[in-house]
Amino acid sequence: MWIDTHCHLDAHEFGQGSLDVATQAGQAGVSMIVAMAIERGNFDAVARLAARAPNVTYALGIHPIYVPQASDDDLLVLRSAVEAAMDDPNFVGVGEIGLDFFIPMLCEPAMREKQERFLREQLRIARDFGLPVMMHVRRSQDQVLKHLRQIRPPAGIAHAFNGSFQQAQNFIDLGFHLGFGGAMTFTRALQIRRLAAELPLASIVLETDSPDIAPSWIHPGCNTPDQLPGIGAALAELRGTGVDEVRDAVHRNTLAAIPRLADYGRN
């Protein structure tokens, strides 16, 4: 079965239909979806979705785009929420966290410093509780790697990876996996397609980032987790291998990247 390692299932684009979206994904062969929190205000929402949908798990974190309006108290709330969630079998990690140096406002010196401070504290939370991290690395791979070398969570995923082969290897050397999704289905995305085709298959996991990064066949429409099998087929085509081989490999890779998923559904 397929696993969507990164989805924003509570996004406003889905309205009141998030559970239907999860059901449709299950019918398409997506056995697990990891719903990402992005700020203190949606911690409860992703947990509630996971409690109601049999194929949904969740992660808790503060996304770098939401750091400007976040307070230091939010980090304390996150640590408390993670501690409380450790007994929840639907809870699988810390995310979405990271750095974003693409949006101009986030590149201003004061905001860069705040982003890095929030990242470091969230990495400490993940390390302290033995949890993987789901990392936002847009235009920030080297800076994220610097912090990961200093504060080492046990595992994680570089989400929507679009760096160099050397940066990819640096993440792999730290025990990380690399997330690929709809972007690699566009023929013009030459670097992402080269990475997907040539990196070790053992380093790759799949994601939709729904409702964003729709694959080529539905772009510019709203992305949904049921598109993951098509994304997996695109990866198989790029690598010149069978879809079953890709599905089985990325399933194993995902359980290594997010170990709590291995026990999901057994409780």
Side-chain angles (χ1 to χ4, degrees), residues 10-231:
D10 67 320
H12 67 86
E13 287 88 344
F14 298 134
Q16 299 300 310
S18 296
L19 293 176
D20 291 336
V21 170
T23 297
Q24 291 163 6
Q27 293 168 346
V30 181
S31 61
M32 288 183 268
I33 300 166
V34 184
M36 296 290 144
I38 53 174
E39 60 172 334
R40 173 179 177 173
N42 82 322
F43 290 176
D44 289 343
V46 294
R48 286 196 302 269
L49 277 172
R52 297 177 64 192
N55 61 336
V56 176
T57 64
Y58 69 100
L60 296 176
I62 301 169
H63 191 294
I65 291 176
Y66 288 83
V67 164
Q69 59 262 46
S71 68
D72 287 351
D73 185 58
D74 291 347
L75 291 169
L76 299 176
V77 170
L78 175 61
R79 180 175 284 273
S80 296
V82 167
E83 183 175 16
M86 291 300 292
D87 292 329
D88 183 352
N90 297 327
F91 173 65
V92 298
V94 174
E96 179 177 358
I97 68 172
L99 299 173
D100 190 306
F101 296 146
F102 173 76
I103 298 173
M105 183 268 290
L106 295 176
C107 297
E108 296 174 1
M111 198 50 59
R112 286 177 68 104
E113 186 280 330
K114 187 176 182 183
Q115 279 196 75
E116 295 194 57
R117 182 163 55 83
F118 268 64
L119 171 60
R120 291 179 67 84
E121 181 53 35
Q122 292 183 94
L123 290 176
R124 291 188 186 100
I125 292 170
R127 181 194 61 192
D128 292 349
F129 288 96
L131 293 166
V133 290
M134 293 67 165
M135 303 295 305
H136 182 100
V137 297
R138 189 163 60 165
R139 299 276 179 93
S140 61
Q141 289 93 347
D142 288 337
Q143 295 88 346
V144 167
L145 283 162
K146 177 189 73 173
H147 294 294
L148 287 172
R149 291 186 183 105
Q150 296 171 356
I151 306 171
R152 297 287 295 271
I157 296 169
H159 152 62
F161 186 77
N162 186 22
S164 68
F165 279 90
Q166 182 59 55
Q167 289 167 331
Q169 188 60 53
N170 289 337
F171 278 107
I172 294 167
D173 290 345
L174 289 173
F176 269 62
H177 289 75
L178 309 172
F180 288 86
M184 71 178 170
T185 67
F186 291 87
T187 56
R188 67 179 182 272
L190 299 178
Q191 173 67 358
I192 295 176
R193 288 166 72 85
R194 280 194 295 266
L195 289 162
E198 298 176 21
L199 285 171
L201 183 56
S203 69
I204 292 174
V205 298
L206 292 177
E207 60 185 33
T208 63
D209 199 27
S210 301
D212 299 320
I213 316 186
S216 58
W217 53 86
I218 61 171
H219 180 80
C222 179
N223 198 10
T224 47
D226 61 357
Q227 300 303 314
L228 195 73
I231 291 169

